[in-house]
Amino acid sequence: MKKILSIDGGGIKGVFPAAFLADIEEKLNKPIIDYFDLIAGTSTGGIIALGLGLGFTPREILSMYEDNAEKIFPPKKKQCFFKRKTPELVRCAFEAKYSTAPLKDILTKKFEGKLLGQSTKRLMICATNLVTGKVNVFKTAHHERLETDYKRSAVEIALATSAAPYFFSPYQTVWGDSLVDGGLWANNPMGFAAVESINYLNWPREEVAILSVSCIGDAPEFAKLAGTEPGGKDWGLGVVQLAMASQSHASMGMAIHALGDMSLERIKRIEPIVPAKTFSLDGTDKVELLKGLGRDQAKHEKKNLEKLFFSEKVEPFVPVYSL
């Protein structure tokens, strides 16, 4: 069996999948990375995927979030739009909510100049080209056509995949691209990973399994608009929520059809649903709650996942091109 780990985007809510994977690994008492052939990630999930591929344990990645949450999302900035001074309101309206500098500094210290080609696992990291609007997927050299990405900086890729519009400025890479968050088209990347496994890696679709870990699902607020005649004020952020929920559902549907697994025997989605607005992309005050949810899900899901994903280790990844 070929096994894929897919991790959603979600800002600080990445604490949930990091805690979930950390607890599973500690219960296994073996490196969780040894059980997967391909890891796909978007935004915060892309950072986690890069960390795993470069040899960090889920616990080490979780600690990075815990130790740096308020450096990446400074609480004082969250009050920006509630300040009464006109200059502050004007500044907030025309600037990204947070500076990229703290995140870049944290990732630079963590990844220490590592390149994508140093990953011990096949990786897919999703971003979006701001100039062309085209999708941009950074991939390890797991196919002969993938001749360039493996030479690129892990820090650059992490900053590109996580440059969420409104929260962070677009990331201008050293190789000349202006990139933003892959969550615009693949916040849940599992469907694209399934296609990759068949079209690029030529794995028999009936021999592929996917473990997809979300960054928490919200009860849909947009549902209340059904049967009404909503205007712009009524929609608010509901249109964004609807787009994200639809993308995630479509991605799972893509995986189901690509792998021919209508009964969901080989596709497992970890997505606890909580009341709307319980967690937010920059809600650093909820880190402990997210950790608790991750541990709780690991406790309940380990037995269900063990036979399919954690009974046998996978073969080592040998890239087509090496550094």
Side-chain angles (χ1 to χ4, degrees):
M1 185 70 69
K2 297 294 186 181
K3 294 174 286 186
I4 299 170
L5 173 62
S6 175
I7 310 171
D8 285 16
I12 200 61
K13 293 190 289 182
V15 166
F16 170 77
F20 173 82
L21 295 171
D23 212 64
I24 291 284
E25 180 172 87
E26 286 161 13
K27 287 178 170 63
L28 290 171
N29 201 26
K30 296 173 185 176
I32 200 168
I33 195 75
D34 292 348
Y35 294 91
F36 292 96
D37 297 278
L38 169 66
I39 306 176
T42 298
S43 195
T44 197
I47 292 174
I48 295 171
L50 281 163
L52 292 171
L54 294 174
F56 297 99
T57 67
R59 182 63 60 188
E60 289 172 323
I61 297 168
L62 175 59
S63 294
M64 182 179 74
Y65 282 91
E66 292 178 282
D67 297 341
N68 298 290
E70 293 194 353
K71 295 177 185 175
I72 300 168
F73 301 112
K76 63 181 180 180
K77 295 278 283 189
K78 296 175 190 174
Q79 305 304 317
C80 191
F81 286 98
F82 296 98
K83 293 180 180 178
R84 297 181 182 276
K85 294 181 180 179
T86 300
E88 285 295 319
L89 290 171
V90 172
R91 178 181 63 78
C92 292
F94 289 96
E95 292 183 4
K97 192 173 183 182
Y98 301 103
S99 167
T100 305
L103 178 59
K104 183 176 182 179
D105 183 58
I106 292 160
L107 292 170
T108 299
K109 290 176 181 175
K110 191 72 174 176
F111 291 160
E112 298 179 328
K114 289 183 170 64
L115 305 180
L116 183 62
Q118 291 174 265
S119 173
T120 61
K121 291 292 170 180
R122 299 170 187 84
L123 296 181
M124 292 176 60
I125 311 297
C126 303
T128 308
N129 189 303
L130 185 60
V131 177
T132 64
K134 293 181 178 180
V135 303
N136 193 311
V137 186
F138 297 101
K139 301 178 185 181
T140 47
H142 51 258
H143 188 279
E144 60 185 13
R145 291 178 57 188
L146 305 174
E147 302 177 83
T148 57
D149 288 352
Y150 76 98
K151 302 174 186 176
R152 292 179 168 170
S153 160
V155 171
E156 293 271 292
I157 294 171
L159 292 172
T161 188
S162 60
Y166 170 66
F167 290 93
F168 296 109
S169 298
Y171 190 72
Q172 188 73 31
T173 70
V174 296
W175 53 89
D177 296 319
S178 184
L179 301 174
V180 291
D181 199 324
L184 292 171
W185 60 276
N187 201 59
N188 171 359
M190 65 187 295
F192 303 96
V195 171
E196 185 83 3
S197 72
I198 297 168
N199 290 352
Y200 263 76
L201 296 168
N202 294 317
W203 294 341
R205 70 176 193 163
E206 65 277 5
E207 295 179 14
V208 178
I210 299 180
L211 173 59
S212 172
V213 188
S214 75
C215 285
I216 306 294
D218 293 334
E221 285 196 294
F222 50 78
K224 67 185 179 184
L225 300 178
T228 70
E229 297 181 2
K233 180 178 178 295
D234 301 307
W235 274 106
L237 290 177
V239 69
V240 177
Q241 289 182 321
L242 180 58
M244 299 292 274
S246 299
Q247 184 280 318
S248 182
H249 185 73
S251 187
M252 185 159 182
M254 189 188 307
I256 290 169
H257 287 285
L259 303 186
D261 186 23
M262 305 303 291
S263 59
L264 298 180
E265 293 178 0
R266 291 174 285 113
I267 296 174
K268 304 300 178 185
R269 174 79 170 157
I270 308 300
E271 186 177 30
I273 304 298
V274 300
K277 299 181 181 178
T278 303
F279 300 106
S280 63
L281 191 146
D282 58 349
T284 57
D285 57 323
K286 302 291 180 66
V287 165
E288 288 301 313
L289 287 178
L290 288 163
K291 281 175 57 183
L293 267 176
R295 287 193 297 265
D296 184 66
Q297 287 290 302
K299 179 176 70 175
H300 286 96
E301 296 289 349
K302 181 179 179 290
K303 286 291 183 185
N304 299 331
L305 302 174
E306 199 163 22
K307 184 177 179 181
L308 181 59
F309 293 101
F310 304 120
S311 58
E312 293 183 9
K313 294 183 179 182
V314 301
E315 297 177 358
F317 166 46
V318 180
V320 177
Y321 307 108
S322 299
L323 294 166

